[in-house]
Amino acid sequence: MAGDFLFTSESVTEGHPDKLADQISDAVLDEVLRSDPNGRVACETFVTVGLVIVGGEITTTSYVDINRLVRSVIREIGYDQRSYGFTYDTCAILNAIGSQSPDIAQGVDTGGAGDQGLMSGYACRETPELMPMPIMLAHKITRRLSDVRKSKILPYLGPDGKSQVTIQYIDGEPARVDTVVVSTQHSAEILDDSGRKITGRARDEIIEQVISPVIPKGMLDDKTIYHVNPTGKFVIGGPQSDTGMTGRKIIVDTYGGMASHGGGAFSGKDATKVDRSASYMARYIAKNVVASGLAEKCTIQLAYAIGVAEPVSLMVFCDRSQKVSEERIVELIRKHFDMTPRGIIEALDLTRPVFRKTAAYGHFGRTEPEFTWEKTDKADLLAKEA
């Protein structure tokens, strides 16, 4: 996008009910893959006050203790106090898991895609991670919220929370942070005498300890607006105040709205499901195209038919930032990237139990070694052949 405009992205903490559900689903997937790399998993989770329902279709030779696993995830996230109204040791757990339909399996077993659909990947030059700046800053704030809670820097914080960052773009480039929103669960101890809002001191501490350390100094100015718990207070949070479901934060998971989204959620799905694996491959391709210098920004769209290995379409869009034609970039992609489900799984090593890490703070723009789709190992090759 060119011109002057404001753009906003949001993130949520690992204790948000939807992210709690995503992490449980991906923890189930990881547990299957630990002993059965060929296991088929499509796991959905629903959480509400005092209840977790885990359902879906799983076909595996391994055994997963769902009850123990769910309680472990909830405890690690931080729901371990009665005051939260939802705790790992008191919630009820309902296991409603079945097996994958043989009608689907017969197409997947031969190397075909596990479903039809379209998947998108994106990369740009706005940050070192080659990601849009609004979503990267929003993720850094929510991760920092969890860090200061767990390290007791701000011990009054609870597991649930959200952030939102608005960037002012000038001539299509990020120029400054216009607005930051942080809504974080907290204990009643930081409420003022009215009992209706947090104290000014607590607000200042959250700005100082959470926002300031992660926003580049040159992006903040005296016109930057801060909204900290704008409703006043956020004592009741997590599943006590809101339901959570797997797959409801797909824009948080990807590019914060800056790029297109195929629509399919990721968490709880093994890599034969192209909703997940082809989205990872699309990001891998887009990031290598941008890292190679062939374009300043790049959107990749892949589409598949269920049971068919090769994608039915590949589209490249560089928003007029390309150094060679988009048709030439398509040729290079087809030559150097295997976009079949089996090829994606092999190239990105997607049969390992690495997926719970993806279920909070975004699937893209990450530097941990498990995130193989963030490699730029083909950038030099693309640049040379272009």
Side-chain angles (χ1 to χ4, degrees), residues 31-273:
E31 196 68 11
V32 168
L33 295 178
R34 280 191 179 89
S35 56
D36 181 11
N38 297 314
R40 302 276 169 75
V41 179
C43 180
E44 307 283 348
T45 302
F46 170 79
V47 300
T48 188
V49 183
L51 177 64
V52 178
I53 301 174
V54 183
E57 298 79 44
I58 297 178
T59 302
T60 181
T61 58
S62 65
Y63 169 73
V64 179
D65 186 339
I66 295 293
N67 191 293
R68 179 198 61 79
L69 184 64
V70 169
R71 295 190 192 281
S72 175
V73 172
I74 296 170
R75 184 181 67 251
E76 289 172 16
I77 289 171
Y79 285 106
D80 55 3
Q81 300 179 28
R82 297 293 187 271
S83 60
Y84 295 144
F86 178 89
T87 60
Y88 76 94
D89 56 345
T90 61
C91 65
I93 299 171
L94 175 61
N95 183 346
I97 293 174
S99 59
Q100 186 182 61
S101 164
D103 296 345
I104 296 175
Q106 69 179 6
V108 178
D109 291 342
T110 58
D115 201 352
Q116 71 173 45
L118 55 141
M119 299 83 207
S120 297
Y122 181 73
C124 64
R125 289 277 181 190
E126 291 183 11
T127 65
E129 300 89 355
L130 302 185
M131 286 283 287
M133 184 176 288
I135 188 64
M136 288 306 298
L137 294 181
H139 283 323
K140 288 178 180 180
I141 288 173
T142 51
R143 186 184 283 273
R144 179 67 181 169
L145 269 176
S146 292
D147 289 345
V148 299
R149 168 176 62 89
K150 292 178 177 179
S151 63
K152 307 298 184 183
I153 294 173
L154 298 180
Y156 49 76
L157 298 185
D160 196 359
K162 290 184 173 184
S163 72
Q164 189 170 281
V165 176
T166 301
I167 299 290
Q168 181 180 2
Y169 284 75
I170 298 177
D171 294 331
E173 299 295 329
R176 58 180 291 273
V177 173
D178 183 82
T179 306
V180 180
V181 182
V182 173
S183 295
T184 178
Q185 185 183 15
H186 59 87
S187 62
E189 68 186 84
I190 62 166
L191 294 175
D192 66 9
D193 291 340
S194 72
R196 296 176 58 86
K197 63 180 181 180
I198 63 173
T199 65
R201 178 179 178 182
R203 177 185 182 275
D204 292 343
E205 286 179 343
I206 292 169
I207 293 174
E208 178 184 348
Q209 295 293 337
V210 177
I211 299 174
S212 296
V214 302
I215 304 291
K217 300 302 181 186
M219 297 295 290
L220 296 171
D221 57 35
D222 57 5
K223 294 183 179 180
T224 300
I225 300 168
Y226 300 94
H227 293 297
V228 179
N229 283 21
T231 65
K233 65 177 183 177
F234 187 2
V235 175
I236 300 173
Q240 184 184 19
S241 66
D242 194 9
T243 59
M245 294 184 69
T246 301
R248 284 206 302 202
K249 286 292 179 286
I250 59 176
I251 300 302
V252 172
D253 284 342
T254 54
Y255 307 101
M258 184 68 78
S260 59
H261 193 294
F266 302 157
S267 289
K269 298 176 181 178
D270 73 86
T272 65
K273 281 75 171 174

